[in-house]
């Protein structure tokens, strides 16, 4: 099994400090929603965000959207050998049912995840849980997954794709962590993980996620 953890994802509801900002109120009114039940999106809310810490990297649900669409439609997921988790900047973890069919449309994805943040889970009519959000930090998630090996994808270390292949061959249950933020460094220290780079330049999270997933499929199944 390959576990992909999108770590420190910049996915959150509009923080309290800016819920009263006129940009936010205007957008909430347009959508017929409460500001406290809307996901922060820097492409829409940037002019209100300068008041919050770390504002330059926050409000990037699109990174999670693109990564999840790619991962869930990957050949590895179709074989049932992939598990995906989203860990957020506020230490929540979203458990994703591998069979969930997420909206292909960004606005509908945002609507679904807003519902998830408010209701904490999304179920089918038959009661099957598709998405579940739990307050949990990355260390507790790691204890829960209990993989044999943890690797943090990090563009700042030496490129070593051979090591990645070796680790895939040597372990049946392996977890790969990928930063789901636009820039800056990891906020946790991940001392329990080895670090690997796959390219000399910084890549987008969704590109790294698909590279790793397809490589695992190739190594284990072809
Ligand atoms: C856009 S990067 C994150 C921000 C980046 N640290 C910066 O300062 O611009 C998204 C994530 O993809 C992974 N990543 C990006 N480039 C990579 C590379 N060349 N090798 C391995 N992982 C990479 C890392 O996990 C990284 O946190």
């Amino acid at each position: 099994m390959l576990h992909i953890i999108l770590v420190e994802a910049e996915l959150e509801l509009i923080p309290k400090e800016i819920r009263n900002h006129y940009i936010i109120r205007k957008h909430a009114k347009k959508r017929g929603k409460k500001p406290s039940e809307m996901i922060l999106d820097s492409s829409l809310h940037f002019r209100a965000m300068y008041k919050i810490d770390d504002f330059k990297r926050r409000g990037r649900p699109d990174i999670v959207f693109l990564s999840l669409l790619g991962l869930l439609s990957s050949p590895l997921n179709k074989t049932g050998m992939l598990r995906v988790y989203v860990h957020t900047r506020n230490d929540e973890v979203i458990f994703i049912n591998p069979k969930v069919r997420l909206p292909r449309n960004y606005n509908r994805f945002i609507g679904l995840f807003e519902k998830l943040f408010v209701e904490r889970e999304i179920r089918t009519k038959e009661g099957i849980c598709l998405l579940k959000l739990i307050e949990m930090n990355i260390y507790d998630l790691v204890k829960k997954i209990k993989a044999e090996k943890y690797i943090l994808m990090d563009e700042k270390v030496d490129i070593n794709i051979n090591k990645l292949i070796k680790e895939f061959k040597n372990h049946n249950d392996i977890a790969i962590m990928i930063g789901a933020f636009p820039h800056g460094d990891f906020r946790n220290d991940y001392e329990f993980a080895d670090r690997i780079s796959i390219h000399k330049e910084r890549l987008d999270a969704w590109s790294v996620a698909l590279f790793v997933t397809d490589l695992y499929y190739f190594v284990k199944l072809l």
Side-chain angles (χ1 to χ4, degrees), residues 153-156 177-179 181-186 196-205 208:
M153 302 309 293
D154 184 354
E155 70 277 11
K156 292 179 295 307
M177 295 173 290
I178 300 164
F181 45 87
H183 37 74
D185 215 344
F186 293 102
I196 291 181
S197 169
I198 53 167
H199 193 266
K200 61 180 175 9
E201 284 172 33
R202 174 175 61 96
L203 303 167
D204 288 318
V208 178

Side-chain angles (χ1 to χ4, degrees), residues 9-19 24 31 33-41 45 49 52 58-61 88-90 92 94 110-120 133 135:
E10 291 297 353
L11 177 66
E12 61 183 317
L13 292 176
I14 307 249
K16 265 200 192 92
E17 308 93 285
I18 59 170
R19 282 182 199 157
I24 304 289
R31 291 192 58 210
K33 287 213 160 200
K34 293 184 195 156
S36 59
E37 296 180 353
M38 284 186 348
I39 284 180
L40 183 71
D41 182 334
H45 307 135
M49 287 174 61
I52 54 173
R58 286 169 76 173
R60 292 298 307 272
T88 73
R89 74 147 34 237
N90 293 326
E92 295 126 336
I94 301 169
I110 291 294
L112 180 70
F113 271 60
E114 286 171 340
K115 189 167 188 275
L116 173 66
F117 270 91
V118 172
E119 296 179 7
R120 303 272 142 167
L133 183 146
E135 276 176 34

Side-chain angles (χ1 to χ4, degrees), residues 63 67 73 76 79-80 90 114 128 166 173 175 192 211 218:
I63 298 175
S67 303
S73 60
L76 188 67
T79 66
N90 293 326
E114 286 171 340
I128 298 163
K166 228 180 260 165
D173 214 34
F192 54 87
F211 177 90
F218 183 78

